[in-house]
């Protein structure tokens, strides 16, 4: 498990273990990306950045807080290549003080699909 400050990167195997333990998985990609590549089964779809890189933190938190009920609850962020999840994870950890922020190293493309693992539409 790699630790980059306020959040931790999980290998594919660590991710699978945490998911089995009941950690919420939040897929922060856009709808077009979910449609193209599918999602990891059981993931919650909550877009963070739009196609132009803009975001609405209030809109994100409206959906996010229905899944992550308090600042201690562990959750895992997933994006395409783990660039957005690092940015969001750092913000949630440092600015918003979430304590158990994880991300899938390599994102869904390099940490899941490239490993031959299934996605669902």
């Amino acid at each position: 498990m790699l630790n980059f400050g306020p959040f931790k990167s999980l290998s594919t195997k660590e991710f699978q273990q945490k998911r089995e333990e009941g950690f919420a998985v939040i897929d922060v990609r856009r709808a077009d990306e979910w449609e193209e590549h599918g999602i990891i089964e059981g993931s919650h779809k909550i877009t963070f950045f739009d196609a132009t890189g803009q975001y609405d933190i209030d809109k994100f938190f409206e959906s996010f807080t229905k899944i992550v009920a308090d600042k201690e609850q562990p959750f895992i962020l997933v994006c395409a290549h783990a660039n957005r999840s690092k940015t969001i994870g750092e913000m949630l950890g440092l600015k918003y003080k979430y304590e158990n922020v994880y991300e899938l190293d390599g994102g869904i493309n390099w940490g899941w699909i490239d490993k031959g693992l299934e996605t669902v539409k």
Side-chain angles (χ1 to χ4, degrees):
M1 186 163 29
L2 303 170
N3 190 338
F4 294 103
F7 67 96
K8 297 165 200 73
S9 279
L10 301 173
S11 69
T12 305
K13 188 177 286 277
E14 289 168 328
F15 170 87
Q16 290 170 307
Q17 190 176 0
K18 299 288 187 198
R19 189 174 70 143
E20 284 175 23
E21 290 172 19
F23 285 30
V25 178
I26 316 267
D27 190 320
V28 297
R29 296 174 300 145
R30 298 181 314 273
D32 60 300
E33 294 174 291
W34 298 327
E35 188 59 38
E36 183 178 346
H37 297 289
I39 65 166
I40 296 169
E41 192 167 3
S43 296
H44 300 277
K45 300 186 283 190
I46 310 175
T47 297
F48 192 86
F49 293 108
D50 66 18
T52 65
Q54 302 299 305
Y55 64 91
D56 180 338
I57 195 70
D58 294 328
K59 185 176 178 197
F60 174 78
F61 272 125
E62 190 177 304
S63 298
F64 178 77
T65 54
K66 290 177 183 165
I67 298 154
V68 179
D70 60 61
K71 305 234 178 187
E72 291 82 40
Q73 180 183 336
F75 61 92
I76 307 167
L77 299 171
V78 174
C79 66
H81 304 104
N83 295 320
R84 286 172 281 184
S85 60
K86 282 180 177 39
T87 301
I88 299 162
E90 190 167 294
M91 183 182 68
L92 291 173
L94 292 175
K95 185 172 182 182
Y96 294 98
K97 306 300 182 207
Y98 282 84
E99 295 176 15
N100 294 294
V101 184
Y102 297 86
E103 62 138 14
L104 173 58
D105 190 39
I108 195 168
N109 289 5
W110 298 332
W112 194 260
I113 295 170
D114 278 10
K115 307 276 191 269
L117 297 164
E118 297 289 314
T119 60
V120 295
K121 294 277 179 162

